[in-house]
C-alpha cells in the first residue's frame, strides 16, 4: 500500500518481541509487586492515532510502528486513546539516522487528536506545539536515542512526567501537565530518531517510584555512549589557570601531548590561510573571554555551562575553518562541541541562550550541534567544512573524521563552538577557500557509480532516481513518486524542495 510500511519490513527492522520486565524499587533492594497489565488497563490497546500525524510519518498496518520518511521534522504523532495516570507509554527505537541533531520529543496533550487536522500540525513539537495551550513535551537526551533502547514515560497525579530507559531508575522529565482532563500521548519522531514502535503499555504502582533527577543517574545501568558524549558536561569542578598567555605551561606532572602542533602542523594545515574569520563578540557565559583580536575563546574558570561562542560571519560553502585546541585540562578527557545555526548571533543576547548546547535545537531557528568524536589534546587542529550538498565534514590533525551533520547550505550559516569538559581554549587559525581536506564521500550520498546502494526510504530497492533540482541520488523511483506527492516534499539529504524526480538508467 502506498505510503505505508509492510508488516514484513517491520518485522525485519524491529526484530522479535520483548518480554515485559519486572519492576524494582531502585532505592532499596526489594521487589515491587508486578505491574498491573490486565484489569487495570483499558481494553483498547495503546496504538498510534491512524489519521492525525505529521506529513513525513509512515505507519504500519497495525498502527504500532511509525517511521519518518524524509527530512528531520514534520513527524508528530499521538496515541489513539487517552492514557491513564501512571500508565507507561513504552517505545522501542527501531531506526536511528546519525546525520541529524536532536532526538525524540515526548509528552502529552489534552487535545483530542481526532479533532486536530493533520495539516494544522507544526513542524516541531518543541517549541511550536508546546507554545499552544494543552500541549506539553520535552526533548529526550540524544545519548539515549540509540536503536534498541526502550523508553517508557508516564504522568503522575501531580502532573509530573517521568521516564526510564530500559531497566534504569525513573527520572523526572518535566512537570506542569494538567491532569484534570483526559491526556493523549504525544511522540515527535524528530532528528536522530527515525523510527519507533509502540510496545504494550503498563501501569506502575506509585509507591514503587522514587524518581531521581537526570544528574543522579548511574550510567552503568544504561546502554548508551561513553560519558563524554553528553553535551551538557558539568564544568563546576574544573580549576583552570587564568593566565593570559595562549599556550601556558602545563601543570607540574602533566606530560605535554605527543600529538602537538610541532608534529601535526605540516599535514593538518594548507600553505595559505585567510585571516578574516573571527569569533563574534557575543558569548554565552560569564567566564568566557574573547581575546587576541577575537581569534581566541577562553573559558577561564569553568563555572558556567553556557560556554558558547560563534563565528563573526556566516561560513562559506566549501570553505574549511581550522581551529586549534590551545588549552586542555591535562589528564581530563577532552570535550568540544560544535555546530551551525541560521540565527545571526548579532540578534541574540547572552540571556537568550540555554545552559546546555543540546537545548539549542528547541529554538525556532535551525540549530545543529554535535560533539567532536574522540579525545582532544592541546595542539590538536580541527578542520570543518560545509560542502555544496550541505554535509559538514570534520578532519582531526589532517585525518578525515567523516560527515558529522546535514545542513541546508542554501541559507547563511554561522558556526558555533561550546567549550566544556577539559577543552578550555581554542583559536581560529584561519580559513582556506575550496580547501581539500581528504574528505571521503558521504555514506548517505550515493555516488553515480554506486548502483547497488539501497533507497534511503524503503531500504529495499536500488537507487535509480535523481532529485531535481538538488541532484541527489538517494531514492528508488517508486519512493520518489510517493515523496514528490507529499506535502512540502523535500530531499532526504539536503532538505531542498523537490520540483521533480528523474528516473535514470545504466548504459550497460
Amino acid at each position: 500500500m502506498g505510503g505505508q510500511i509492510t508488516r514484513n519490513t517491520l518485522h525485519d527492522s524491529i526484530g522479535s518481541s520483548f518480554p515485559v520486565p519486572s519492576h524494582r524499587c531502585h532505592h532499596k533492594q526489594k521487589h515491587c509487586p508486578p505491574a498491573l497489565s490486565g484489569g487495570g488497563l483499558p481494553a483498547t490497546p495503546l496504538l498510534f492515532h491512524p489519521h492525525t500525524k505529521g506529513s513525513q510519518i509512515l505507519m504500519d498496518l497495525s498502527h504500532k510502528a511509525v517511521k519518518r520518511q524524509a527530512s528531520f521534522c514534520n513527524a508528530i504523532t499521538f496515541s489513539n486513546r487517552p492514557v491513564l495516570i501512571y500508565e507507561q507509554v513504552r517505545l522501542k527505537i527501531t531506526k536511528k539516522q546519525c546525520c541529524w541533531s536532536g532526538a525524540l520529543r515526548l509528552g502529552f496533550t489534552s487535545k483530542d487528536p481526532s479533532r486536530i487536522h493533520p495539516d494544522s500540525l507544526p513542524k516541531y513539537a518543541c517549541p511550536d506545539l508546546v507554545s499552544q495551550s494543552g500541549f506539553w513535551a520535552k526533548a529526550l537526551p540524544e545519548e539515549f536515542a540509540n536503536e534498541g533502547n526502550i523508553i517508557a514515560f508516564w504522568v503522575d497525579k501531580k502532573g509530573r512526567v517521568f521516564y526510564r530507559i530500559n531497566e534504569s531508575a525513573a527520572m523526572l522529565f518535566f512537570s506542569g501537565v494538567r491532569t484534570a482532563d483526559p491526556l493523549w500521548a504525544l511522540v515527535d519522531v524528530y532528528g536522530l530518531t527515525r523510527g519507533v514502535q509502540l510496545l504494550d503499555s503498563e501501569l506502575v504502582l506509585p509507591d514503587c517510584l522514587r524518581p531521581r533527577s537526570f544528574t543522579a543517574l548511574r550510567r552503568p545501568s544504561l546502554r548508551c555512549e561513553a560519558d563524554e558524549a553528553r553535551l551538557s558536561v558539568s564544568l563546576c569542578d574544573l580549576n583552570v589557570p587564568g593566565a593570559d598567555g595562549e599556550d601556558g605551561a602545563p601543570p607540574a606532572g602533566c606530560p605535554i601531548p605527543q600529538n602537538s602542533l610541532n608534529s601535526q602542523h605540516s599535514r593538518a594545515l594548507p600553505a595559505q590561510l585567510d585571516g578574516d574569520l573571527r569569533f563574534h563578540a557575543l558569548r554565552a557565559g560569564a567566564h568566557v573571554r574573547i581575546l587576541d583580536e577575537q581569534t581566541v575563546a577562553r573559558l577561564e574558570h569553568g563555572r558556567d555551562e553556557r560556554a558558547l561562542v560563534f563565528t563573526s560571519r556566516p561560513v562559506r560553502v566549501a570553505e574549511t575553518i581550522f581551529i586549534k585546541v590551545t588549552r586542555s585540562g591535562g589528564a581530563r578527557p577532552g570535550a568540544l562541541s560544535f555546530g551551525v545555526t541560521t540565527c545571526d548571533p548579532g540578534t541574540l543576547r547572552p540571556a537568550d541562550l540555554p545552559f546546555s548546547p543540546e537545548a539549542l535545537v528547541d529554538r525556532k531557528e535551525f540549530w545543529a550541534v554535535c560533539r567532536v568524536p574522540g579525545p582532544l589534546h592541546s595542539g590538536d587542529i580541527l578542520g570543518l567544512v560545509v560542502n555544496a550538498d550541505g554535509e559538514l565534514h570534520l578532519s582531526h590533525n589532517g585525518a578525515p573524521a567523516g560527515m558529522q551533520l546535514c545542513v541546508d547550505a542554501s541559507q547563511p550559516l554561522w558556526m558555533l563552538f561550546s567549550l566544556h569538559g577539559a577543552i578550555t581554549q581554542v583559536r581560529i587559525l584561519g580559513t582556506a577557500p575550496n580547501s581539500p581536506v581528504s574528505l571521503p564521500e558521504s555514506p548517505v550520498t550515493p555516488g553515480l557509480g554506486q548502483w547497488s546502494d539501497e533507497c534511503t526510504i524503503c531500504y529495499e530497492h536500488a537507487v535509480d532516481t535523481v532529485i531535481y533540482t538538488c541532484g541527489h541520488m538517494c531514492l528508488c523511483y517508486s519512493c520518489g513518486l510517493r515523496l514528490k506527492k507529499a506535502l512540502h516534499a523535500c530531499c532526504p539529504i539536503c532538505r531542498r524542495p523537490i520540483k521533480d524526480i528523474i528516473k535514470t538508467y545504466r548504459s550497460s
Side-chain angles (χ1 to χ4, degrees):
M1 298 179 64
Q4 289 187 319
I5 308 171
T6 65
R7 294 178 186 269
N8 290 337
T9 301
L10 284 167
H11 178 76
D12 294 339
S13 61
I14 293 171
S16 58
S17 60
F18 284 75
V20 177
S22 62
H23 294 268
R24 300 177 181 177
C25 291
H26 292 265
H27 62 286
K28 293 181 181 180
Q29 294 297 320
K30 69 175 185 178
H31 288 273
C32 289
L36 302 176
S37 57
L41 288 174
T44 304
L46 193 66
L47 306 172
F48 286 109
H49 196 282
H51 306 300
T52 306
K53 57 185 185 296
S55 61
Q56 295 298 331
I57 283 293
L58 295 176
M59 188 177 298
D60 77 328
L61 298 178
S62 69
H63 300 163
K64 288 186 176 181
V66 293
K67 177 182 174 183
R68 191 182 69 247
Q69 62 178 333
S71 186
F72 64 98
C73 55
N74 283 310
I76 295 173
T77 62
F78 302 93
S79 62
N80 65 325
R81 62 163 173 81
V83 298
L84 302 180
I85 301 299
Y86 295 109
E87 179 180 2
Q88 292 188 91
V89 181
R90 300 174 64 243
L91 297 166
K92 180 187 176 187
I93 297 178
T94 58
K95 188 67 179 178
K96 179 179 179 181
Q97 189 168 8
C98 295
C99 64
W100 302 116
S101 179
L104 272 176
R105 277 83 165 111
L106 304 173
F108 297 94
T109 179
S110 59
K111 308 293 184 181
D112 184 347
S114 299
R115 299 184 178 182
I116 301 175
H117 196 284
D119 293 344
S120 69
L121 290 175
K123 290 183 177 181
Y124 317 104
C126 305
D128 297 353
L129 203 56
V130 296
S131 65
Q132 303 177 29
S133 175
F135 295 92
W136 303 269
K138 188 176 179 181
L140 184 76
E142 285 188 22
E143 64 197 80
F144 297 154
N146 295 323
E147 289 185 14
N149 273 0
I150 296 177
I151 297 96
F153 66 101
W154 64 95
V155 63
D156 70 1
K157 61 183 180 180
K158 297 181 179 179
R160 299 176 300 179
V161 177
F162 304 97
Y163 76 104
R164 61 158 51 103
I165 311 296
N166 301 323
E167 295 295 330
S168 74
M171 294 169 279
L172 178 62
F173 202 14
F174 60 91
S175 59
V177 176
R178 187 172 63 248
T179 58
D181 301 324
L183 294 171
W184 287 259
L186 186 162
V187 178
D188 186 359
V189 188
Y190 178 87
L192 291 171
T193 310
R194 188 169 179 182
V196 295
Q197 178 191 15
L198 267 176
L199 305 179
D200 292 339
S201 59
E202 298 175 355
L203 282 176
V204 291
L205 297 179
D207 57 359
C208 289
L209 300 175
R210 298 273 184 91
R212 296 184 290 175
S213 67
F214 176 79
T215 54
L217 178 64
R218 292 179 294 180
R219 292 185 177 273
S221 65
L222 301 178
R223 295 180 359 225
C224 62
E225 304 295 334
D227 288 356
E228 303 94 277
R230 189 181 177 201
L231 291 173
S232 54
V233 176
S234 175
L235 303 175
C236 297
D237 57 345
L238 294 184
N239 183 18
V240 181
D244 290 335
E246 175 193 341
D247 291 311
C254 178
I256 299 176
Q258 295 300 313
N259 59 341
S260 64
L261 182 60
N262 295 331
S263 60
Q264 301 294 336
H265 182 91
S266 59
R267 67 187 181 94
L269 293 173
Q272 298 291 331
L273 287 176
D274 294 337
D276 68 317
L277 188 67
R278 300 284 190 272
F279 285 116
H280 198 279
L282 173 80
R283 71 263 190 197
H287 303 296
V288 181
R289 295 182 63 189
I290 306 297
L291 307 169
D292 199 2
E293 298 182 346
Q294 293 183 244
T295 63
V296 173
R298 176 190 298 167
L299 180 63
E300 295 201 320
H301 301 292
R303 296 190 180 276
D304 192 338
E305 292 186 2
R306 295 189 301 166
L308 289 172
V309 291
F310 299 81
T311 55
S312 57
R313 62 163 172 81
V315 298
R316 303 182 181 105
V317 172
E319 173 188 49
T320 303
I321 299 172
F322 291 97
I323 301 290
K324 176 189 173 187
V325 177
T326 54
R327 191 186 296 271
S328 64
R332 287 182 173 273
L336 177 69
S337 297
F338 67 93
V340 294
T341 179
T342 58
C343 182
D344 183 349
T347 65
L348 295 172
R349 302 170 301 168
D352 296 332
L353 299 169
F355 281 86
S356 173
E358 65 182 2
L360 289 168
V361 298
D362 290 332
R363 291 180 57 89
K364 63 181 180 180
E365 312 93 357
F366 175 76
W367 297 78
V369 183
C370 66
R371 186 182 61 84
V372 175
L376 294 175
H377 305 279
S378 292
D380 282 0
I381 294 176
L382 303 174
L384 301 106
V385 58
V386 176
N387 64 20
D389 292 329
E391 301 171 352
L392 193 157
H393 287 263
L394 172 72
S395 66
H396 184 191
N397 291 330
M403 186 189 72
Q404 307 296 310
L405 296 170
C406 290
V407 300
D408 185 355
S410 66
Q411 302 186 61
L413 296 171
W414 284 261
M415 194 160 285
L416 60 102
F417 299 90
S418 175
L419 302 174
H420 57 93
I423 307 304
T424 56
Q425 185 168 291
V426 295
R427 173 185 284 274
I428 295 180
L429 297 178
T431 65
N434 303 307
S435 172
V437 286
S438 303
L439 299 179
E441 185 178 7
S442 166
V444 298
T445 308
L448 291 177
Q450 295 176 310
W451 291 86
S452 62
D453 280 353
E454 294 178 338
C455 170
T456 57
I457 291 182
C458 68
Y459 294 95
E460 294 180 356
H461 302 110
V463 171
D464 62 358
T465 300
V466 173
I467 297 175
Y468 177 75
T469 59
C470 66
H472 279 122
M473 290 185 66
C474 55
L475 306 172
C476 67
Y477 189 63
S478 59
C479 288
L481 287 175
R482 290 200 301 270
L483 181 58
K484 180 185 174 183
K485 296 177 182 177
L487 186 65
H488 307 305
C490 59
C491 172
I493 302 300
C494 66
R495 306 197 312 279
R496 295 179 187 174
I498 296 177
K499 293 186 177 181
D500 202 356
I501 61 165
I502 304 168
K503 187 170 184 178
T504 60
Y505 300 89
R506 295 188 68 176
S507 60
S508 57

